[in-house]
Amino acid sequence: RYEYQVFSQYGEDGILNEIFNRIGTTDRFFVEFGVEVGHECNTTLLLVQGWSGVWIDGNEGFVKKIQKNFQGVISQGRLKAFHRFISAENIEYIFKDAVVPTEFDLLSIDIDRNDYHVWKALHRYKPRVVVIEYNAIYRPGTEFVVPYDADAVGDGTSHFGASLESFTKLAEELGYRRGAQSFEAGNAFFV
């Protein structure tokens, strides 16, 4: 009902707008990883709307394009772009290096493999809203989590991430509730 797309891949821009209309914002700070070049991700519209944040991608070429194409907001200090390969073991160190606040408004996770394990490894950081890609081939009620392999990346198959059921259970363990999910894409929103 609230989906619309400006820079997001599907309707995530609209869903995020509605969530923050309902719960308000605190610091208008985001972290998103798996952004590619930043033209089709969940936080670009927020950046345009004056938010600040951090983008992290494991592809050095993508990060160089971000640094070129977004040099204005980078020079203003509103965006930091990092080339890092993310794992459950290093995510908190990356956040510390990027000077991410321990509590902030939005975390968007889309690394096509170890999303579940990376979110579970965030102990010191508590975003108010988490958007995460789930594996939609698993029907509601089915639990699935891909075995953790720190060096693995998405291979284009359906062997990635976790089911919506498994993410929902993890979210509850971490103190979140599912607030929405996108109709077309496999993204869930936890508050």
Side-chain angles (χ1 to χ4, degrees):
R1 175 174 170 189
Y2 298 101
E3 290 183 12
Y4 64 78
Q5 173 190 4
V6 180
F7 294 102
S8 62
Q9 190 171 14
Y10 296 101
E12 296 88 350
D13 288 327
I15 294 171
L16 286 170
N17 182 64
E18 183 61 23
I19 288 171
F20 286 110
N21 278 343
R22 291 182 185 202
I23 70 169
T25 59
T26 57
D27 60 359
R28 294 168 43 102
F29 190 91
F30 61 80
V31 176
E32 183 167 6
F33 33 95
V35 296
E36 295 187 356
V37 297
H39 292 146
E40 188 178 74
C41 59
N42 295 330
T43 56
T44 304
L45 180 60
L46 299 175
L47 188 61
V48 169
Q49 294 171 337
W51 286 48
S52 300
V54 175
W55 284 349
I56 307 164
D57 200 278
N59 182 308
E60 186 175 12
F62 289 163
V63 174
K64 285 182 179 181
K65 286 182 182 178
I66 289 168
Q67 291 168 339
K68 178 183 176 195
N69 295 335
F70 291 88
Q71 62 184 337
V73 288
I74 291 171
S75 66
Q76 293 169 9
R78 292 196 307 112
L79 178 66
K80 296 176 188 175
F82 290 91
H83 167 237
R84 300 285 192 282
F85 185 84
I86 294 170
S87 69
E89 293 81 14
N90 72 8
I91 189 60
E92 289 204 337
Y93 297 108
I94 293 170
F95 275 33
K96 184 178 178 187
D97 287 348
V99 193
V100 172
T102 54
E103 294 183 11
F104 58 100
D105 276 331
L106 176 64
L107 171 62
S108 181
I109 303 172
D110 183 357
I111 53 175
D112 295 335
R113 170 65 192 216
N114 289 317
D115 304 52
Y116 178 96
H117 304 285
V118 169
W119 186 20
K120 188 175 182 175
L122 282 174
H123 302 290
R124 290 184 288 221
Y125 296 89
K126 301 295 179 202
R128 296 178 64 230
V129 176
V130 176
V131 182
I132 196 159
E133 182 182 42
Y134 65 91
N135 191 328
I137 69 161
Y138 295 97
R139 305 302 303 154
T142 304
E143 289 192 49
F144 168 80
V145 177
V146 71
Y148 182 65
D149 179 347
D151 299 320
V153 295
D155 60 6
T157 70
S158 60
H159 189 68
F160 72 93
S163 66
L164 182 59
E165 182 76 16
S166 294
F167 272 125
T168 300
K169 287 185 176 186
L170 174 62
E172 290 170 359
E173 289 173 21
L174 298 173
Y176 293 84
R177 297 186 71 188
R178 190 170 74 221
Q181 61 196 75
S182 57
F183 180 72
E184 189 171 346
N187 280 309
F189 299 74
F190 297 96
V191 180

